Amino acid sequence: ILMGMVKKNFVAELLSSVALPFISIDTSSNPRIVLAAYAYCLYLYLDFSGYTDFAVGLSKILKIEIPENFNNPFLARNPQDFWSRWHISLSKWLYEYVFAPVYGFLLKIFKGEGKILMAGIAIFLTFAFSGVWHGDEARFVREGFYHASALFIFVTFDGYMKKYRPGVRKKMRDSKWVAAVSTFVTFHYIVVSFMVFSLDFATLIKVGRRLIGV
């Protein structure tokens, strides 16, 4: 409970003053926008995990065991790994009650043909459902599409490597250098996802153009 309070009411509150949605994009320099994007990523994590820590601690006092909802998500090495670490309760629910039934139904209809394509359809439908679950604003749908695209690309690549290059795949998974690079890339994929989540389309385009100098 104490850890949750510190995360949410102290650290997250400090970060909120410089986090991306709470600053003026028009008057901020590019370095400050980048800093604000990182701050917002950490703010969301600490705010969200803070009150779930509070809930887990309180439930233990009441002799109720509920699972942890976060597992070091910023150490994830790929989009699939991220979703096994972030908002675990929702991720498991979406997998069990949306992805798995849709994927199983599609495989049954098409008799197991085109598994990658069927998985892709199931992934996009799952994240479309997740986006609508968060709200009816377009930014939630965009975020769902963003995550679904990243996850589908990874699953397709990993499936190819597993089938045709298993030796290379094993070496990549065992390499500390690959782990470091993939963790770095995945973290920035997460940072961008929260920008998509928090900003309206016009502001998102403005930030993107500012950062690439267009």
Side-chain angles (χ1 to χ4, degrees):
I1 290 174
L2 180 60
M3 181 176 291
M5 293 176 67
V6 169
K7 280 183 179 179
K8 181 173 175 59
N9 297 321
F10 180 66
V11 186
E13 285 300 314
L14 288 176
L15 288 171
S16 68
S17 62
V18 295
L20 187 60
F22 312 118
I23 67 169
S24 172
I25 301 298
D26 293 322
T27 59
S28 297
S29 63
N30 284 6
R32 186 177 180 186
I33 290 175
V34 172
L35 177 63
Y38 288 129
Y40 185 57
C41 185
L42 295 174
Y43 162 79
L44 277 183
Y45 168 66
L46 292 168
D47 183 74
F48 197 178
S49 68
Y51 71 71
T52 53
D53 282 346
F54 189 92
V56 170
L58 183 61
S59 69
K60 288 181 179 295
I61 292 176
L62 300 175
K63 305 298 183 182
I64 301 171
E65 290 293 328
I66 61 175
E68 295 288 343
N69 207 29
F70 294 89
N71 180 24
N72 298 314
F74 297 146
L75 297 181
R77 294 179 56 176
N78 55 66
Q80 189 176 51
D81 188 23
F82 171 70
W83 285 107
S84 70
R85 295 167 175 267
W86 177 272
H87 204 341
I88 298 170
S89 57
L90 177 62
S91 296
K92 285 185 176 180
W93 190 92
L94 288 171
Y95 177 83
E96 292 177 7
Y97 293 100
V98 182
F99 175 82
V102 170
Y103 183 50
F105 174 76
L106 292 173
L107 288 180
K108 185 177 180 181
I109 292 296
F110 293 97
K111 303 185 185 303
E113 297 294 329
K115 289 185 177 181
I116 292 295
L117 178 59
M118 298 306 105
I121 294 172
I123 287 171
F124 276 91
L125 287 175
T126 300
F127 277 97
F129 179 88
S130 175
V132 173
W133 178 83
H134 279 87
D136 59 357
E137 296 180 45
R139 61 192 175 99
F140 297 130
V141 178
R142 286 198 304 271
E143 189 207 17
F145 182 81
Y146 174 87
H147 282 300
S149 300
L151 186 57
F152 178 62
I153 291 170
F154 170 75
V155 169
T156 302
F157 172 75
D158 191 55
Y160 172 84
M161 295 297 291
K162 186 176 182 180
K163 184 175 182 179
Y164 298 107
R165 298 288 189 273
V168 176
R169 179 175 180 266
K170 185 179 186 307
K171 288 182 180 179
M172 290 175 64
R173 286 178 168 251
D174 293 341
S175 170
K176 293 182 179 179
W177 287 105
V178 172
V181 172
S182 60
T183 300
F184 178 82
V185 171
T186 301
F187 173 70
H188 286 86
Y189 143 76
I190 298 166
V191 172
V192 174
S193 78
F194 289 144
M195 294 171 65
V196 175
F197 173 80
S198 64
L199 304 178
D200 61 73
F201 188 69
T203 305
L204 188 64
I205 293 299
K206 182 188 294 185
V207 170
R209 294 182 65 178
R210 283 273 302 275
L211 294 180
I212 63 176
V214 177

